[in-house]
Amino acid sequence: QHSAHPHMDDATTAALRARRPVCWENPACDEDGGCGVLSRADLDASVRMWAWLRPLFVLLFPEEVTNPPWGEPGTVSSPLRRIDAMGRALGLRPGRCLLKADSNLAVCGSVKARGGMFEVFNVAAHLAKAFFGGLEVRESELQSVFDPRGAGFSSAALAEDPKLRAHLAEREIVVGSTGNLGLSVGLGAAALGMRAVVHMSTDAKAWKKSLLRSRGVVVVEHAGLYDEAVAAGRAESASNPASHFVDDESSRVLFLGYSAAAFELRAQLAELNVEVSPERPLVVHIPCGVGGAPGGLCWGMHLAFGAAQPVRVFFAEPVAAPCVTLALCTGKGAAVCVADIGLDGKTEADGLAVGRASALCFETCAPLVEGSYTIEDCTLFEHLGALVELERSFIEPSCCACFAGPGHLA
């Protein structure tokens, strides 16, 4: 089923309620649009912060980031590669299908490294500046991207200064997660010697919980879904003045950490001699859970590429948890959840098992995203099987949601 109706789209909502795969095209899409919540200066600040963090990443994770697939040592990056055989299976012409393999990102093997670790290290940088200056840090400061200009210390101090490390050990980082964000936050905090608590929903995979516990991270399991884990984590963090909660639903720092990847993608496309122009726009399909990562990527790409290199972004979600599609097609944003239309949110795509969309994603991307679509779990595994057979490549099933996109747009 294909739909391009305005907000309060009853046809799309009915398809979502029935768990039928559907493609929704955004009638309000305006690539010159956007919102005043964030600016190009915010995007530039995140790029500057990522560059400042490179020495720290080399010290903490030398085997994983010393020789990254793209960028200088210490860069958290992923390869961009052509997958022509998979493209042919999807009905695309040779050379037109590329895979941005964030499933291979350093340290935690998912796009969440771009957000979760960025926010953890951003918090640590603010704490370090206050510590070296003999000052107290305000929680409001932790909600902004750290400006390393004039900081007076290198990011390496977060790994090498024993007094600072002792200070960081007194602080706590808390997050609620379906799995991958918890991995990135927990592993990042543990590497800095900070106490980490990850509240995980019932759908989180056992191996992710085991890996976190092996690194000394406290994992709290919940019988309910993502919303319950986030609420519990937020409440726990609020009760501890030394705690910071990484909020996947509204964190600007998290969002900006993802957005900087747009410049990496732009550079890699140029290296592959891939033309992006008004005649040949870049079409990007992104698996979507709460919307933080795909929202940040979508917003960042529109700013990084600009009008001369138009980007058309589509979000991909499981039929059981289409929270962003529901938010967009009804125009209700975070005020509506999948339970409101009778869905349980249970899917094998554990990283996408979210019931309510990020308000920040909705606010920033409602005028930017071209559309979104849903996919059944069985189709996820069919695409994964094809990818393994044709490209000798394995990624998490949730990553395969985006392979449904070309069929919807054919």
Side-chain angles (χ1 to χ4, degrees), residues 11-301:
T12 300
T13 304
L16 295 177
R17 181 180 289 111
R19 296 186 180 222
R20 293 198 306 270
V22 65
C23 179
W24 175 81
E25 293 182 21
N26 185 3
C29 183
D30 175 11
E31 60 186 39
D32 294 322
C35 70
V37 175
L38 297 168
S39 69
R40 176 57 190 255
D42 294 308
L43 178 57
D44 292 341
S46 69
V47 172
R48 189 164 50 243
M49 180 60 175
W50 271 118
W52 183 77
L53 286 171
R54 285 198 293 259
L56 176 62
F57 272 98
V58 170
L59 287 169
L60 295 180
F61 311 107
E63 295 183 1
E64 304 209 40
V65 300
T66 300
N67 296 296
W70 179 87
E72 299 178 29
T75 301
V76 176
S77 63
S78 68
L80 176 69
R81 60 188 184 91
R82 299 183 188 277
I83 48 171
D84 289 338
M86 188 69 182
R88 285 193 295 272
L90 297 175
L92 299 175
R93 295 196 299 274
R96 302 300 293 272
C97 190
L98 298 102
L99 179 68
K100 184 72 172 106
D102 271 13
S103 53
N104 295 347
L105 274 176
V107 186
C108 57
S110 82
V111 68
K112 298 298 186 179
R114 299 189 187 275
M117 299 193 77
F118 183 79
E119 178 153 346
V120 170
F121 291 173
N122 186 75
V123 167
H126 279 295
L127 293 171
K129 182 178 180 180
F131 175 75
F132 288 134
L135 304 171
E136 292 293 326
V137 68
R138 297 186 299 274
E139 176 62 26
S140 60
E141 294 178 69
L142 305 183
Q143 307 298 330
S144 64
V145 174
F146 178 75
D147 187 350
R149 295 173 298 184
F153 63 95
S154 163
S155 64
L158 300 176
E160 295 179 327
D161 189 298
K163 292 183 179 179
L164 174 59
R165 296 276 297 189
H167 177 67
L168 293 177
E170 298 173 354
R171 304 290 301 206
E172 177 185 80
I173 301 288
V174 181
V175 68
S177 173
T178 59
N180 286 337
L181 181 63
L183 269 183
S184 65
V185 169
L187 296 178
L192 292 175
M194 305 173 78
R195 183 175 189 268
V197 182
V198 178
H199 290 258
M200 281 192 160
S201 49
T202 184
D203 45 280
K205 301 302 184 186
W207 71 265
K208 297 179 182 180
K209 300 173 190 176
S210 297
L211 175 58
L212 285 169
R213 287 177 172 135
S214 74
R215 302 294 177 86
V217 176
V218 177
V219 176
V220 181
E221 299 185 52
H222 295 270
L225 296 174
Y226 172 82
D227 290 354
E228 179 181 321
V230 171
R234 186 182 289 115
E236 175 181 331
S237 184
S239 67
N240 181 359
S243 179
H244 173 79
F245 181 65
V246 177
D247 195 334
D248 202 13
E249 297 177 339
S250 62
S251 171
R252 296 185 184 186
V253 172
L254 200 67
F255 189 92
L256 289 167
Y258 298 123
S259 68
F263 294 99
E264 176 186 323
L265 175 61
R266 189 181 70 179
Q268 289 175 313
L269 288 167
E271 291 168 2
L272 291 175
N273 296 314
V274 175
E275 174 192 349
V276 181
S277 66
E279 294 72 35
R280 295 188 66 178
L282 181 67
V283 181
V284 182
H285 300 273
I286 310 176
C288 185
V290 70
L297 294 168
C298 175
W299 177 80
M301 282 188 281

Side-chain angles (χ1 to χ4, degrees), residues 16 20-23 316-319 322 325 372-376 404 408:
L16 295 177
R20 293 198 306 270
V22 65
C23 179
E317 299 185 284
V319 293
T325 303
S372 60
Y373 50 86
T374 59
I375 180 172
E376 295 176 305
H408 282 300

